[in-house]
């Protein structure tokens, strides 16, 4: 991609992308804190996630109708985003926080960035730098501290597995959000968010059977760190801020940034969630968990911030790709493909 050298400041598109990614991280960070009082009031984790996703899907119905052509353009992308980035992430995460502290669940979920590095190397078969591999190892070491493996897995094992499931699904969030901008039939990120939430709502409706749930707790009060408040307040925050706003800004930001850069900013979600859970829920973490959490965040940052290994450049005598029907070089074809999105401010993984 083209890199601006005329000004020392960031390009406006990248600045906007960073701002949107920050908003998304802060919005996502409050989801667990808003949901846990509802779970403790008697709603099951899956019914809470159904409420969150379905409420957001209904709120985004006007956007889905406006971009209805996207269903025919990239149906597989929308279906995959709904299954992984919406239903999978949310169901695994909410199941995790019902068994382990919110901050710990999110810190484990943010093994997703190192897993994304593994996806790039072993699935997409692209080279990665030594720094990226080291960062992934640091994050795994931090996870061992978070769960206190020296104490025989101090936290609930099933809760840890749910959080790891959310980490794998998070990889799909970044990969599919980025894929929507690529190819000959790009999809507007608003459509990706709206239809992803609709697909997630349909899947969760079939799985959770919400008509069998007791929704009476929503009409009463819930307790948050010893204080009572109407249940609809955390429910509304969870739907409108921690889902609608979070998904819209997050998916759009990936269109301006590379998935690794967007993932680095998204790591702030874990910090926000930990602080909010400490202040609003009274969930205190011990020193090993805090140190492990810092290692997870540092490892995730290093894994994504490092520049990937350089790929061989075509030589001067072989600049043209003989396998190309139009005689263009590989670099020219890649540049043309990426140019479909029309964003000259999009950066490489090493930025």
């Amino acid at each position: 991609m083209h890199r601006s050298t005329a000004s020392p400041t960031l390009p406006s598109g990248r600045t906007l992308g960073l701002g949107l990614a920050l908003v998304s991280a802060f919005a996502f960070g409050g989801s667990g804190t808003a949901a846990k009082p509802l779970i403790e009031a008697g709603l099951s984790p899956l019914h809470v996630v159904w409420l969150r996703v379905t409420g957001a899907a209904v709120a985004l119905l006007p956007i889905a109708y406006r971009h209805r052509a996207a269903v025919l353009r990239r149906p597989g992308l929308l279906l995959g985003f709904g299954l992984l980035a919406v239903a999978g992430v949310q169901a695994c995460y909410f199941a995790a926080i019902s068994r382990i502290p919110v901050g710990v669940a999110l810190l484990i979920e943010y093994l997703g960035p190192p897993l994304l590095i593994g996806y790039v190397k072993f699935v997409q078969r692209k080279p990665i730098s030594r720094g990226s591999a080291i960062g992934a190892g640091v994050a795994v070491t931090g996870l061992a501290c978070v769960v206190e493996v020296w104490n025989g897995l101090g936290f609930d094992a099933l809760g840890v597995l749910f959080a790891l499931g959310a980490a794998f699904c998070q990889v799909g969030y970044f990969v599919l959000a980025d894929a929507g901008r690529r190819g000959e039939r790009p999809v507007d990120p608003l459509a990706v968010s709206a239809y992803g939430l609709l697909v997630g709502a349909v899947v969760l409706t079939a799985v959770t059977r919400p008509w069998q749930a007791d929704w009476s707790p929503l009409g009463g009060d819930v307790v948050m760190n010893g204080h009572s408040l109407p249940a609809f307040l955390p429910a509304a925050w969870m739907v409108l801020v921690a889902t609608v706003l979070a998904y819209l800004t997050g998916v759009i930001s990936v269109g301006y940034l590379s998935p690794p850069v967007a993932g680095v900013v998204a790591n702030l979600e874990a910090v926000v969630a930990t602080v909010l859970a400490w202040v609003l829920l009274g969930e205190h973490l011990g020193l090993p968990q805090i140190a492990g959490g810092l290692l997870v965040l540092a490892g995730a940052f290093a894994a994504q911030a490092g520049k990937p290994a350089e790929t061989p450049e075509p030589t001067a005598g072989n600049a043209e790709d003989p396998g190309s029907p139009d005689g263009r070089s590989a670099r020219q074809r890649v540049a043309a493909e990426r140019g479909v999105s029309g964003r000259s401010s999009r950066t490489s993984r090493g930025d």
Side-chain angles (χ1 to χ4, degrees):
M1 305 311 274
H2 300 290
R3 190 186 303 272
S4 174
T5 57
S7 172
T9 60
L10 290 172
S12 59
R14 180 173 169 81
T15 302
L16 176 60
L18 288 172
L20 291 172
L22 282 170
V23 172
S24 179
F26 277 85
F28 270 128
S31 62
T33 302
K36 194 153 189 175
L38 299 177
I39 295 174
E40 293 175 343
L43 295 179
S44 72
L46 280 180
H47 285 135
V48 171
V49 75
W50 176 87
L51 174 66
R52 177 186 183 183
V53 172
T54 304
V58 171
L60 292 179
L61 279 176
I63 292 178
Y65 179 78
R66 180 179 179 182
H67 295 278
R68 56 192 180 278
V71 177
L72 299 178
R73 301 185 71 178
R74 303 285 292 276
L77 172 74
L78 301 180
L79 179 62
F81 192 85
L83 291 175
L84 293 177
V86 177
V89 170
Q90 302 303 326
C92 289
Y93 172 63
F94 275 74
I97 67 171
S98 70
R99 308 181 71 95
I100 60 178
V102 169
V104 174
L106 259 179
L107 290 171
I108 296 174
E109 179 186 342
Y110 272 89
L111 278 177
L115 291 174
L116 180 59
I117 296 296
Y119 175 86
V120 170
K121 179 174 177 60
F122 297 109
V123 179
Q124 295 185 336
R125 305 228 178 241
K126 296 180 180 179
I128 61 171
S129 68
R130 180 180 300 178
S132 297
I134 293 175
V138 172
V140 173
T141 302
L143 174 61
C145 295
V146 169
V147 300
E148 295 183 313
V149 292
W150 54 86
N151 286 336
L153 200 63
F155 285 115
D156 185 279
L158 186 58
V160 171
L161 289 177
F162 279 130
L164 286 172
F168 280 99
C169 291
Q170 190 196 60
V171 173
Y173 173 90
F174 290 107
V175 170
L176 294 174
D178 181 61
R181 284 292 190 181
R182 298 181 179 274
E184 298 179 354
R185 295 177 294 173
V187 178
D188 192 293
L190 295 178
V192 174
S193 298
Y195 280 102
L197 286 165
L198 281 172
V199 170
V202 172
V203 172
L204 290 171
T205 297
V207 172
T208 63
R209 300 179 181 180
W211 53 87
Q212 296 180 352
D214 178 15
W215 296 101
S216 60
L218 291 177
D221 294 337
V222 294
V223 178
M224 182 175 287
N225 199 18
H227 303 282
S228 297
L229 71 160
F232 73 86
L233 290 179
W237 180 275
M238 180 180 64
V239 170
L240 298 177
V241 176
T243 309
V244 172
L245 179 63
Y247 269 100
L248 288 179
T249 54
V251 174
I252 293 174
S253 73
V254 179
Y256 290 96
L257 307 171
S258 66
V261 174
V264 168
V265 181
N267 282 326
L268 289 174
E269 177 188 341
V271 179
V272 173
T274 303
V275 172
L276 289 178
W278 193 320
V279 173
L280 299 179
L281 300 181
E283 292 185 351
H284 297 278
L285 302 178
L287 183 59
Q289 289 79 38
I290 294 175
L294 292 175
L295 283 175
V296 171
L297 292 176
F301 182 87
Q304 297 176 94
K307 291 185 177 181
E310 296 293 334
T311 56
E313 294 289 344
T315 62
N318 189 30
E320 300 298 326
D321 183 356
S324 172
D326 56 5
R328 292 183 299 173
S329 67
R331 174 179 289 182
Q332 289 171 329
R333 291 199 310 276
V334 171
E337 179 183 355
R338 292 181 178 177
V340 171
S341 65
R343 298 190 184 276
S344 61
S345 62
R346 193 182 180 95
T347 59
S348 67
R349 288 183 63 89
D351 286 346

